Amino acid sequence: MAKKDADNAHEKPLDFNERRMQALAKENAQLRDYVSTMMERLRENDQLFSRLFALEASVLAAGDPEDMCFTLLRELRSQFSLDMVRIWLDRDSIIGSTPMHALSEQDLIWLEAGEIQNMGLAKRNVWLLQLKGGNFPWLQERDNDLGSIALLRLGSKEKPFGIIGLGSNDKERFKPEQSTDFLAHLAQVISLSLEHAISHQRLARLAITDALTNTHNRRFLQPHSHQSLSSWFGKGVMVAAMYFDMDDFKGLNDRLGHAAGDDALTELCSTIRRYVRAQDPIIRMGGDEFVLLLPSCDTEKAKQIGEKIRADISQLTCHGETLSVSIGLAFSSAEDDMTLNDLVKTADKAMYVAKALGGNRLECAATKD
């Protein structure tokens, strides 16, 4: 015991400067660790920003809402290594009438009015959720392996029009306590871009739509009128053009008024639509004249369609008067790649022949004059 006390007596106590140097060395080590951690986070954030900006650029470059959603789904999957990306859209919202044929049922699900609000998703920009036994009812059996999801609201709180779901099998990927700044910014960019694209598409559609009959108007044909038919419908595709003119339309207007005339035109267009495909263009050329274009429709089939439309119109009455229509029919063969303007003019001339022969007829002109 005496020897130990003697040894301790020989130990030299640390002076103030030495203790201070040791403390500084420890602080420096801690600072280096902190700086290293922060630099790693900065690198991760920089990569995240780069991917985010690339995604925004791709979305903004998309031409229409459908293309924008398709691009969004593809880029989110590839750039952010997600196990699930899905879009839910409100059928009753501004996007409800937008075609989305390029998106599969796995990528896009349509919601009915009020479903977003009923789920409480309209109240927040972003909702992070760790999954426990499928505790989010919009998920399906194929989503059973997901551990966490981020739900991004599209549109305002008052008028949400959709939700984007980002899912990961990693339960820690989207934890409720995490920051949502990046995701909130992304949701805002996507919302504004989609709203702009929808508005632009609607304005463009209105510019080429006849307000009364909801068919196309003459402006719809202008970009295509002097093009060859193959440049629009494809090489080697036979195209039929049907030109309609309501018989004695001026007399009907004079006797019954313009409201009756509008009803007659609406009946004509409704009858035409019953016999053609949704994508077959119907164009109001002015007054009571309409053109129907039938790509990939052979001669006999086009004649049958024309006769059925003419016969159905003859059975209709408008404000007590029987309706009738004269039809001119023209064709472009696969070998004769005429312009759209020539095809329509040929059908128009055939329609005037039908008029000259007494009206309520269908006349054919196989080739242009």
Side-chain angles (χ1 to χ4, degrees), residues 36-331:
S36 176
T37 301
M38 292 305 297
M39 290 299 295
E40 181 61 29
R41 288 183 182 176
L42 285 172
R43 281 192 292 270
E44 291 174 356
N45 285 344
D46 186 55
Q47 292 174 358
L48 180 58
F49 268 121
S50 297
R51 294 198 299 269
L52 186 62
F53 291 151
L55 174 63
E56 290 177 7
S58 298
V59 168
L60 291 172
D64 55 58
E66 182 179 30
D67 186 25
M68 195 172 289
C69 288
F70 184 81
T71 300
L72 185 64
L73 288 161
R74 182 190 63 216
E75 294 296 319
L76 281 170
R77 288 194 185 100
S78 63
Q79 295 294 327
F80 295 91
S81 302
L82 294 161
D83 297 301
M84 184 274 285
V85 181
R86 192 167 302 145
I87 301 176
W88 291 272
L89 295 177
D90 187 341
R91 198 185 299 277
D92 200 45
S93 68
I94 59 169
I95 204 170
S97 60
T98 304
M100 292 286 179
H101 306 305
L103 277 63
S104 71
E105 293 181 358
Q106 182 172 342
D107 295 331
L108 169 65
I109 296 175
W110 288 99
L111 304 172
E112 300 305 322
E115 285 193 64
I116 295 176
Q117 289 88 339
N118 292 341
M119 284 294 298
L121 298 174
K123 297 177 181 178
R124 58 183 87 186
N125 295 327
V126 178
W127 186 14
L128 304 183
L129 182 64
Q130 289 180 300
L131 299 173
K132 299 174 183 177
N135 54 328
F136 184 67
W138 287 359
L139 296 179
Q140 301 170 5
E141 188 175 345
R142 61 174 178 262
D143 304 317
N144 285 343
D145 292 333
L146 294 179
S148 58
I149 56 172
L151 301 165
L152 287 59
R153 187 194 69 222
L154 301 179
S156 65
K157 289 182 180 180
E158 294 75 23
K159 292 183 178 180
F161 62 85
I163 298 291
I164 295 180
L166 314 177
S168 173
N169 293 344
D170 181 3
K171 212 171 187 66
E172 303 298 308
R173 180 74 180 269
F174 300 113
K175 295 194 295 186
E177 63 270 18
Q178 289 175 339
S179 171
T180 60
D181 292 347
F182 283 132
L183 295 175
H185 172 76
L186 179 61
Q188 186 176 33
V189 169
I190 295 170
S191 294
L192 292 175
S193 300
L194 274 172
E195 287 174 342
H196 175 76
I198 293 164
S199 298
H200 186 269
Q201 188 180 67
R202 284 185 173 181
L203 288 173
R205 192 183 300 127
L206 285 173
I208 59 171
T209 301
D210 177 63
L212 173 65
T213 60
N214 202 33
T215 61
H216 299 300
N217 59 28
R218 290 182 73 100
R219 284 191 291 272
F220 172 77
L221 288 180
Q222 287 173 356
H224 312 286
S225 58
H226 295 289
Q227 295 177 353
S228 62
L229 290 167
S230 63
S231 66
W232 191 7
F233 295 108
K235 188 175 181 180
V237 175
M238 184 175 183
V239 182
M242 218 172 288
Y243 207 107
F244 299 86
D245 185 272
M246 188 78 72
D247 296 328
D248 192 30
F249 183 70
K250 184 179 183 303
L252 186 146
N253 265 334
D254 292 341
R255 291 189 299 274
L256 302 175
H258 291 288
D262 290 348
D263 290 342
L265 297 179
T266 303
E267 289 285 1
L268 171 60
C269 292
S270 297
T271 303
I272 294 172
R273 286 192 178 96
R274 283 203 295 272
Y275 291 102
V276 300
R277 297 159 294 193
Q279 67 269 26
D280 293 331
I282 306 172
I283 305 101
R284 186 179 183 184
M285 303 300 288
D288 60 330
E289 297 181 1
F290 295 83
V291 166
L292 168 66
L293 299 175
L294 296 168
S296 303
C297 183
D298 61 44
T299 306
E300 289 306 313
K301 180 66 174 176
K303 288 179 180 178
Q304 291 173 10
I305 291 172
E307 284 294 352
K308 287 178 180 178
I309 293 171
R310 186 199 59 76
D312 276 13
I313 289 291
S314 299
Q315 300 299 315
L316 296 176
T317 59
C318 180
H319 296 256
E321 293 207 8
T322 302
L323 302 178
S324 68
V325 65
S326 297
I327 306 172
L329 183 56
F331 303 92

